[in-house]
Amino acid sequence: MTTAFYAVPTSDWLTISTPKDTALPTLDAIRSLVSTVPGVAAFPDGGWRFESGGLIRASSRGLVGVISCSGAALVELRAASLFGEYLRAVSSESHRVTRLDAALDLATPAPAFLNDLYIRANQGEVRLSHKPAPAKRWVGLNAAGEETGTVYLGGHTAKVRLAADDKRQERLDKGLPDPGPWLRVE
């Protein structure tokens, strides 16, 4: 599994929509690209799974084809030096980018940042657009007894949303090695 630390803002999810009749040529281009990556398995209903768990999913909604690439799959494509070719493949036909997540990682302790962000957002001091962003959070305790977890700004259907989470704690909870302080903002 490839682990990514995004020291600069990086795309961490990409979904495109395309007319259904142009989805097949796009999927053919993606197929030839991902078939060169060791350990990739095709789904019978459309898409591919990487050994890391990353997914490229293909589906349709009415007259529209939808192709989504998870953050873990994008990491795998970058590691295989195929990210540029993937972007060329998905943009080879008429399309719209319908979801693009950007992520930035900071080597900073997350608990204090997350608590401050949650308080400031609930006081109306944080805006992602022209209105204050409502805040929700998932909280757990780390080994030091500090509250940590994830803070979400913006409603589920909002066009602009933010999630800030303690990636260090996430990895420790999964039994993985301690990466040191790690805050991700998406």
Side-chain angles (χ1 to χ4, degrees), residues 141-146 148 169 172:
L141 297 177
N142 65 14
E146 301 169 299
T148 192
Q169 192 62 43
L172 293 173

Side-chain angles (χ1 to χ4, degrees), residues 57-182:
R57 294 289 282 170
S59 62
S60 62
R61 294 182 190 139
L63 299 174
V64 177
V66 179
I67 302 167
S68 295
C69 191
S70 72
L74 291 170
V75 167
E76 294 292 342
L77 291 170
R78 286 185 193 100
S81 300
L82 296 172
F83 181 63
E85 289 182 51
Y86 178 78
L87 293 179
R88 275 190 288 286
V90 297
S91 63
S92 62
E93 301 288 339
S94 174
H95 70 284
R96 284 188 181 184
V97 174
T98 51
R99 178 177 171 187
L100 176 63
D101 293 359
L104 175 65
D105 291 328
L106 304 167
T108 188
F113 178 91
L114 295 172
N115 189 50
D116 183 56
L117 177 62
Y118 183 72
I119 290 168
R120 291 182 58 221
N122 280 325
Q123 293 172 343
E125 297 177 17
V126 180
R127 297 172 186 266
L128 300 177
S129 60
H130 65 284
K131 293 191 266 184
K136 293 182 181 178
R137 70 176 168 178
W138 175 88
V139 178
L141 297 177
N142 65 14
E146 301 169 299
E147 285 187 348
T148 192
T150 304
V151 173
Y152 301 96
L153 302 181
H156 181 67
T157 59
K159 288 185 179 183
V160 180
R161 297 178 292 174
L162 180 138
D165 62 304
D166 187 340
K167 293 299 280 186
R168 176 187 202 176
Q169 192 62 43
E170 179 183 307
R171 291 182 57 79
L172 293 173
D173 289 347
K174 291 179 179 177
L176 298 170
D178 186 347
W182 185 357

